mmCIF file of all heavy atoms in Angstrom:
data_model
loop_
_atom_site.group_PDB
_atom_site.id
_atom_site.type_symbol
_atom_site.label_atom_id
_atom_site.label_comp_id
_atom_site.label_asym_id
_atom_site.label_seq_id
_atom_site.Cartn_x
_atom_site.Cartn_y
_atom_site.Cartn_z
ATOM 1 N N MET A 1 0.847 -1.175 0.000
ATOM 2 C CA MET A 1 0.000 0.000 0.000
ATOM 3 C C MET A 1 0.893 1.239 0.000
ATOM 4 O O MET A 1 1.807 1.365 0.799
ATOM 5 C CB MET A 1 -0.918 -0.035 1.226
ATOM 6 C CG MET A 1 -1.828 1.169 1.325
ATOM 7 S SD MET A 1 -2.836 1.091 2.814
ATOM 8 C CE MET A 1 -4.419 0.910 2.058
ATOM 9 N N ALA A 2 0.612 2.162 -0.885
ATOM 10 C CA ALA A 2 1.406 3.396 -0.992
ATOM 11 C C ALA A 2 1.087 4.313 0.176
ATOM 12 O O ALA A 2 -0.047 4.384 0.648
ATOM 13 C CB ALA A 2 1.112 4.094 -2.315
ATOM 14 N N ASN A 3 2.093 5.033 0.633
ATOM 15 C CA ASN A 3 1.907 5.993 1.719
ATOM 16 C C ASN A 3 1.622 7.366 1.121
ATOM 17 O O ASN A 3 2.482 7.957 0.481
ATOM 18 C CB ASN A 3 3.166 6.030 2.597
ATOM 19 C CG ASN A 3 3.020 6.986 3.765
ATOM 20 O OD1 ASN A 3 1.932 7.469 4.044
ATOM 21 N ND2 ASN A 3 4.121 7.252 4.434
ATOM 22 N N ASP A 4 0.411 7.851 1.314
ATOM 23 C CA ASP A 4 0.035 9.164 0.803
ATOM 24 C C ASP A 4 0.307 10.201 1.881
ATOM 25 O O ASP A 4 -0.378 10.246 2.892
ATOM 26 C CB ASP A 4 -1.447 9.184 0.408
ATOM 27 C CG ASP A 4 -1.867 10.488 -0.237
ATOM 28 O OD1 ASP A 4 -1.009 11.379 -0.420
ATOM 29 O OD2 ASP A 4 -3.059 10.624 -0.550
ATOM 30 N N ALA A 5 1.328 11.028 1.665
ATOM 31 C CA ALA A 5 1.735 12.023 2.658
ATOM 32 C C ALA A 5 0.973 13.340 2.519
ATOM 33 O O ALA A 5 1.249 14.289 3.230
ATOM 34 C CB ALA A 5 3.237 12.273 2.543
ATOM 35 N N THR A 6 0.015 13.392 1.597
ATOM 36 C CA THR A 6 -0.768 14.612 1.426
ATOM 37 C C THR A 6 -1.653 14.812 2.648
ATOM 38 O O THR A 6 -2.400 13.920 3.030
ATOM 39 C CB THR A 6 -1.647 14.516 0.165
ATOM 40 O OG1 THR A 6 -0.822 14.245 -0.960
ATOM 41 C CG2 THR A 6 -2.420 15.807 -0.052
ATOM 42 N N PRO A 7 -1.576 15.997 3.269
ATOM 43 C CA PRO A 7 -2.423 16.231 4.442
ATOM 44 C C PRO A 7 -3.892 16.322 4.057
ATOM 45 O O PRO A 7 -4.231 16.609 2.906
ATOM 46 C CB PRO A 7 -1.923 17.573 4.985
ATOM 47 C CG PRO A 7 -1.093 18.178 3.925
ATOM 48 C CD PRO A 7 -0.716 17.112 2.950
ATOM 49 N N PRO A 8 -4.789 16.091 5.024
ATOM 50 C CA PRO A 8 -6.220 16.238 4.738
ATOM 51 C C PRO A 8 -6.529 17.658 4.257
ATOM 52 O O PRO A 8 -5.834 18.618 4.611
ATOM 53 C CB PRO A 8 -6.879 15.973 6.100
ATOM 54 C CG PRO A 8 -5.856 15.259 6.913
ATOM 55 C CD PRO A 8 -4.522 15.697 6.396
ATOM 56 N N LEU A 9 -7.599 17.785 3.472
ATOM 57 C CA LEU A 9 -7.942 19.082 2.889
ATOM 58 C C LEU A 9 -8.224 20.149 3.941
ATOM 59 O O LEU A 9 -7.903 21.313 3.731
ATOM 60 C CB LEU A 9 -9.126 18.939 1.934
ATOM 61 C CG LEU A 9 -8.797 18.260 0.607
ATOM 62 C CD1 LEU A 9 -10.071 17.963 -0.161
ATOM 63 C CD2 LEU A 9 -7.861 19.114 -0.223
ATOM 64 N N ASN A 10 -8.802 19.784 5.088
ATOM 65 C CA ASN A 10 -9.055 20.807 6.106
ATOM 66 C C ASN A 10 -7.741 21.367 6.644
ATOM 67 O O ASN A 10 -7.656 22.558 6.949
ATOM 68 C CB ASN A 10 -9.953 20.290 7.226
ATOM 69 C CG ASN A 10 -9.299 19.230 8.084
ATOM 70 O OD1 ASN A 10 -8.754 18.254 7.565
ATOM 71 N ND2 ASN A 10 -9.372 19.401 9.381
ATOM 72 N N VAL A 11 -6.710 20.561 6.728
ATOM 73 C CA VAL A 11 -5.390 21.029 7.168
ATOM 74 C C VAL A 11 -4.804 21.995 6.130
ATOM 75 O O VAL A 11 -4.255 23.041 6.470
ATOM 76 C CB VAL A 11 -4.441 19.836 7.431
ATOM 77 C CG1 VAL A 11 -3.021 20.311 7.710
ATOM 78 C CG2 VAL A 11 -4.971 18.987 8.582
ATOM 79 N N ILE A 12 -4.967 21.669 4.863
ATOM 80 C CA ILE A 12 -4.489 22.541 3.784
ATOM 81 C C ILE A 12 -5.227 23.880 3.821
ATOM 82 O O ILE A 12 -4.620 24.944 3.732
ATOM 83 C CB ILE A 12 -4.650 21.847 2.412
ATOM 84 C CG1 ILE A 12 -3.690 20.660 2.326
ATOM 85 C CG2 ILE A 12 -4.422 22.826 1.267
ATOM 86 C CD1 ILE A 12 -3.941 19.739 1.146
ATOM 87 N N VAL A 13 -6.553 23.817 3.972
ATOM 88 C CA VAL A 13 -7.351 25.048 4.017
ATOM 89 C C VAL A 13 -6.957 25.886 5.232
ATOM 90 O O VAL A 13 -6.803 27.109 5.128
ATOM 91 C CB VAL A 13 -8.865 24.734 4.023
ATOM 92 C CG1 VAL A 13 -9.689 25.968 4.359
ATOM 93 C CG2 VAL A 13 -9.285 24.156 2.672
ATOM 94 N N ASN A 14 -6.771 25.263 6.381
ATOM 95 C CA ASN A 14 -6.395 26.017 7.580
ATOM 96 C C ASN A 14 -5.030 26.681 7.418
ATOM 97 O O ASN A 14 -4.840 27.820 7.840
ATOM 98 C CB ASN A 14 -6.436 25.121 8.820
ATOM 99 C CG ASN A 14 -7.849 24.810 9.241
ATOM 100 O OD1 ASN A 14 -8.753 25.622 9.077
ATOM 101 N ND2 ASN A 14 -8.061 23.623 9.765
ATOM 102 N N GLY A 15 -4.088 26.005 6.787
ATOM 103 C CA GLY A 15 -2.783 26.613 6.519
ATOM 104 C C GLY A 15 -2.898 27.795 5.574
ATOM 105 O O GLY A 15 -2.289 28.848 5.790
ATOM 106 N N ALA A 16 -3.715 27.628 4.543
ATOM 107 C CA ALA A 16 -3.924 28.722 3.587
ATOM 108 C C ALA A 16 -4.617 29.895 4.260
ATOM 109 O O ALA A 16 -4.262 31.055 4.038
ATOM 110 C CB ALA A 16 -4.735 28.227 2.392
ATOM 111 N N LEU A 17 -5.591 29.597 5.104
ATOM 112 C CA LEU A 17 -6.346 30.636 5.806
ATOM 113 C C LEU A 17 -5.421 31.484 6.676
ATOM 114 O O LEU A 17 -5.521 32.711 6.700
ATOM 115 C CB LEU A 17 -7.432 29.984 6.652
ATOM 116 C CG LEU A 17 -8.526 30.857 7.219
ATOM 117 C CD1 LEU A 17 -9.309 31.535 6.102
ATOM 118 C CD2 LEU A 17 -9.464 30.014 8.072
ATOM 119 N N GLU A 18 -4.525 30.833 7.361
ATOM 120 C CA GLU A 18 -3.600 31.545 8.247
ATOM 121 C C GLU A 18 -2.770 32.570 7.482
ATOM 122 O O GLU A 18 -2.508 33.663 7.977
ATOM 123 C CB GLU A 18 -2.687 30.541 8.951
ATOM 124 C CG GLU A 18 -1.718 31.187 9.914
ATOM 125 C CD GLU A 18 -0.876 30.177 10.666
ATOM 126 O OE1 GLU A 18 -1.023 28.959 10.454
ATOM 127 O OE2 GLU A 18 -0.034 30.625 11.474
ATOM 128 N N HIS A 19 -2.381 32.228 6.249
ATOM 129 C CA HIS A 19 -1.492 33.107 5.486
ATOM 130 C C HIS A 19 -2.209 34.049 4.530
ATOM 131 O O HIS A 19 -1.711 35.126 4.236
ATOM 132 C CB HIS A 19 -0.464 32.263 4.731
ATOM 133 C CG HIS A 19 0.413 31.486 5.661
ATOM 134 N ND1 HIS A 19 1.380 32.072 6.443
ATOM 135 C CD2 HIS A 19 0.434 30.180 5.980
ATOM 136 C CE1 HIS A 19 1.969 31.172 7.193
ATOM 137 N NE2 HIS A 19 1.405 29.997 6.934
ATOM 138 N N THR A 20 -3.384 33.651 4.045
ATOM 139 C CA THR A 20 -4.069 34.494 3.053
ATOM 140 C C THR A 20 -5.154 35.380 3.662
ATOM 141 O O THR A 20 -5.467 36.423 3.098
ATOM 142 C CB THR A 20 -4.695 33.638 1.929
ATOM 143 O OG1 THR A 20 -5.630 32.728 2.512
ATOM 144 C CG2 THR A 20 -3.630 32.876 1.158
ATOM 145 N N ILE A 21 -5.728 34.952 4.782
ATOM 146 C CA ILE A 21 -6.758 35.747 5.461
ATOM 147 C C ILE A 21 -6.441 35.716 6.956
ATOM 148 O O ILE A 21 -7.150 35.077 7.748
ATOM 149 C CB ILE A 21 -8.187 35.230 5.184
ATOM 150 C CG1 ILE A 21 -8.395 35.002 3.685
ATOM 151 C CG2 ILE A 21 -9.217 36.225 5.713
ATOM 152 C CD1 ILE A 21 -9.695 34.291 3.352
ATOM 153 N N PRO A 22 -5.366 36.387 7.360
ATOM 154 C CA PRO A 22 -4.926 36.297 8.758
ATOM 155 C C PRO A 22 -5.969 36.746 9.776
ATOM 156 O O PRO A 22 -6.007 36.219 10.887
ATOM 157 C CB PRO A 22 -3.673 37.163 8.816
ATOM 158 C CG PRO A 22 -3.550 37.841 7.515
ATOM 159 C CD PRO A 22 -4.473 37.207 6.546
ATOM 160 N N ILE A 23 -6.853 37.668 9.421
ATOM 161 C CA ILE A 23 -7.860 38.111 10.383
ATOM 162 C C ILE A 23 -8.837 36.980 10.690
ATOM 163 O O ILE A 23 -9.272 36.822 11.838
ATOM 164 C CB ILE A 23 -8.596 39.396 9.915
ATOM 165 C CG1 ILE A 23 -9.442 39.979 11.047
ATOM 166 C CG2 ILE A 23 -9.437 39.139 8.685
ATOM 167 C CD1 ILE A 23 -8.683 40.456 12.244
ATOM 168 N N ALA A 24 -9.189 36.163 9.701
ATOM 169 C CA ALA A 24 -10.071 35.015 9.946
ATOM 170 C C ALA A 24 -9.376 34.018 10.867
ATOM 171 O O ALA A 24 -9.995 33.473 11.784
ATOM 172 C CB ALA A 24 -10.475 34.361 8.633
ATOM 173 N N HIS A 25 -8.102 33.792 10.628
ATOM 174 C CA HIS A 25 -7.319 32.901 11.492
ATOM 175 C C HIS A 25 -7.285 33.444 12.920
ATOM 176 O O HIS A 25 -7.457 32.697 13.886
ATOM 177 C CB HIS A 25 -5.901 32.742 10.930
ATOM 178 C CG HIS A 25 -5.018 31.907 11.777
ATOM 179 N ND1 HIS A 25 -5.146 30.548 11.867
ATOM 180 C CD2 HIS A 25 -3.995 32.253 12.589
ATOM 181 C CE1 HIS A 25 -4.238 30.087 12.708
ATOM 182 N NE2 HIS A 25 -3.527 31.097 13.150
ATOM 183 N N LYS A 26 -7.114 34.745 13.043
ATOM 184 C CA LYS A 26 -7.074 35.380 14.365
ATOM 185 C C LYS A 26 -8.408 35.241 15.102
ATOM 186 O O LYS A 26 -8.446 35.122 16.329
ATOM 187 C CB LYS A 26 -6.686 36.853 14.216
ATOM 188 C CG LYS A 26 -6.359 37.541 15.512
ATOM 189 C CD LYS A 26 -5.813 38.935 15.251
ATOM 190 C CE LYS A 26 -5.384 39.594 16.548
ATOM 191 N NZ LYS A 26 -4.783 40.903 16.326
ATOM 192 N N MET A 27 -9.516 35.248 14.362
ATOM 193 C CA MET A 27 -10.842 35.042 14.948
ATOM 194 C C MET A 27 -10.998 33.614 15.485
ATOM 195 O O MET A 27 -11.902 33.351 16.270
ATOM 196 C CB MET A 27 -11.941 35.252 13.895
ATOM 197 C CG MET A 27 -12.173 36.653 13.472
ATOM 198 S SD MET A 27 -13.426 36.604 12.135
ATOM 199 C CE MET A 27 -13.309 38.290 11.567
ATOM 200 N N GLY A 28 -10.160 32.713 14.981
ATOM 201 C CA GLY A 28 -10.279 31.309 15.356
ATOM 202 C C GLY A 28 -11.088 30.494 14.366
ATOM 203 O O GLY A 28 -11.460 29.355 14.650
ATOM 204 N N VAL A 29 -11.352 31.056 13.187
ATOM 205 C CA VAL A 29 -12.059 30.307 12.156
ATOM 206 C C VAL A 29 -11.191 29.114 11.766
ATOM 207 O O VAL A 29 -9.991 29.254 11.523
ATOM 208 C CB VAL A 29 -12.348 31.186 10.916
ATOM 209 C CG1 VAL A 29 -12.930 30.350 9.782
ATOM 210 C CG2 VAL A 29 -13.289 32.332 11.279
ATOM 211 N N GLU A 30 -11.816 27.949 11.731
ATOM 212 C CA GLU A 30 -11.081 26.726 11.427
ATOM 213 C C GLU A 30 -11.931 25.813 10.553
ATOM 214 O O GLU A 30 -13.087 25.531 10.881
ATOM 215 C CB GLU A 30 -10.734 26.014 12.735
ATOM 216 C CG GLU A 30 -9.966 24.742 12.558
ATOM 217 C CD GLU A 30 -9.685 24.046 13.879
ATOM 218 O OE1 GLU A 30 -9.772 24.683 14.946
ATOM 219 O OE2 GLU A 30 -9.387 22.843 13.836
ATOM 220 N N ALA A 31 -11.359 25.361 9.441
ATOM 221 C CA ALA A 31 -12.042 24.381 8.596
ATOM 222 C C ALA A 31 -12.104 23.061 9.361
ATOM 223 O O ALA A 31 -11.100 22.600 9.891
ATOM 224 C CB ALA A 31 -11.303 24.210 7.276
ATOM 225 N N VAL A 32 -13.294 22.484 9.419
ATOM 226 C CA VAL A 32 -13.488 21.229 10.141
ATOM 227 C C VAL A 32 -13.446 20.055 9.177
ATOM 228 O O VAL A 32 -12.711 19.099 9.372
ATOM 229 C CB VAL A 32 -14.840 21.239 10.896
ATOM 230 C CG1 VAL A 32 -15.107 19.915 11.574
ATOM 231 C CG2 VAL A 32 -14.884 22.385 11.895
ATOM 232 N N GLU A 33 -14.250 20.144 8.117
ATOM 233 C CA GLU A 33 -14.305 19.083 7.108
ATOM 234 C C GLU A 33 -14.337 19.737 5.741
ATOM 235 O O GLU A 33 -15.137 20.642 5.506
ATOM 236 C CB GLU A 33 -15.548 18.215 7.311
ATOM 237 C CG GLU A 33 -15.631 17.058 6.352
ATOM 238 C CD GLU A 33 -16.858 16.176 6.570
ATOM 239 O OE1 GLU A 33 -17.590 16.371 7.552
ATOM 240 O OE2 GLU A 33 -17.072 15.298 5.713
ATOM 241 N N VAL A 34 -13.465 19.271 4.875
ATOM 242 C CA VAL A 34 -13.416 19.792 3.515
ATOM 243 C C VAL A 34 -13.245 18.601 2.580
ATOM 244 O O VAL A 34 -12.306 17.822 2.717
ATOM 245 C CB VAL A 34 -12.229 20.775 3.326
ATOM 246 C CG1 VAL A 34 -12.210 21.309 1.897
ATOM 247 C CG2 VAL A 34 -12.314 21.924 4.322
ATOM 248 N N ARG A 35 -14.184 18.466 1.675
ATOM 249 C CA ARG A 35 -14.097 17.415 0.662
ATOM 250 C C ARG A 35 -14.797 17.923 -0.590
ATOM 251 O O ARG A 35 -15.464 18.950 -0.548
ATOM 252 C CB ARG A 35 -14.711 16.113 1.171
ATOM 253 C CG ARG A 35 -16.198 16.170 1.416
ATOM 254 C CD ARG A 35 -16.751 14.819 1.920
ATOM 255 N NE ARG A 35 -18.179 14.789 1.947
ATOM 256 C CZ ARG A 35 -18.948 15.267 2.916
ATOM 257 N NH1 ARG A 35 -18.398 15.822 3.974
ATOM 258 N NH2 ARG A 35 -20.267 15.190 2.823
#
Side-chain angles (χ1 to χ4, degrees):
M1 179 182 246
N3 181 11
D4 185 2
T6 304
L9 287 171
N10 68 310
V11 173
I12 292 169
V13 168
N14 287 327
L17 193 61
E18 181 177 0
H19 298 289
T20 59
I21 312 171
I23 191 64
H25 177 73
K26 191 173 184 177
M27 288 176 191
V29 173
E30 180 182 342
V32 176
E33 183 179 353
V34 180
R35 66 180 190 277

